[in-house]
Amino acid sequence: KSGIPAWEQFVSKAPADLFERRGGAVQFGVKTALGVPVVSPNVGRVVLILYSKHDRPKDEALVGRMITDLRLMNPCARWRLVVDIDPDAPGNAVPPTSAPVRPSSLCAPPAVGDAGAA
């Protein structure tokens, strides 16, 4: 929520109420997690999460370079929200609809050109 990257070590030892994915971290031997928030033109912000099986010490310079590079990629979420409705439940007599997913024009990648061109 803060928009600040989070570098967490020893996530497999974190209390389950603080790290919902603790079970998976234990199962797969994950020790470090990094969450990098990146502005997205169509959803506001996406968070890229990277996991490591190694205890990685925090590296602010690496995180800064990652944020810079990710911004250049102009990430755009391309998913469709699907909600299953039980038609037998009281008050849920709404038929499901399916609309085609169209890419947003807001998600066009940044233009690539000569750095010295005017």
Side-chain angles (χ1 to χ4, degrees):
K1 293 181 180 182
S2 68
I4 298 171
W7 188 301
E8 302 296 333
Q9 293 174 272
F10 308 107
V11 292
S12 61
K13 295 179 182 178
D17 59 326
L18 293 178
F19 184 58
E20 294 177 16
R21 294 177 176 91
R22 180 184 180 275
V26 170
Q27 180 180 356
F28 295 103
V30 173
K31 295 183 179 169
T32 305
L34 169 62
V36 182
V38 183
V39 175
S40 174
N42 67 338
V43 295
R45 183 184 314 155
V46 294
V47 179
L48 173 67
I49 302 176
L50 304 168
Y51 297 99
S52 176
K53 290 185 173 188
H54 304 279
D55 177 26
R56 305 279 184 195
K58 192 170 187 175
D59 186 339
E60 294 286 345
L62 174 64
V63 173
R65 289 190 308 270
M66 290 175 67
I67 291 171
T68 299
D69 290 348
L70 288 168
R71 284 183 184 151
L72 293 174
M73 292 179 193
N74 196 29
C76 179
R78 296 178 192 262
W79 63 75
R80 182 177 74 176
L81 177 63
V82 177
V83 178
D84 290 329
I85 297 175
D86 180 0
D88 298 327
N92 285 347
V94 179
T97 61
S98 178
V101 177
R102 294 184 179 94
S104 169
S105 61
L106 294 174
C107 300
V112 177
D114 294 339

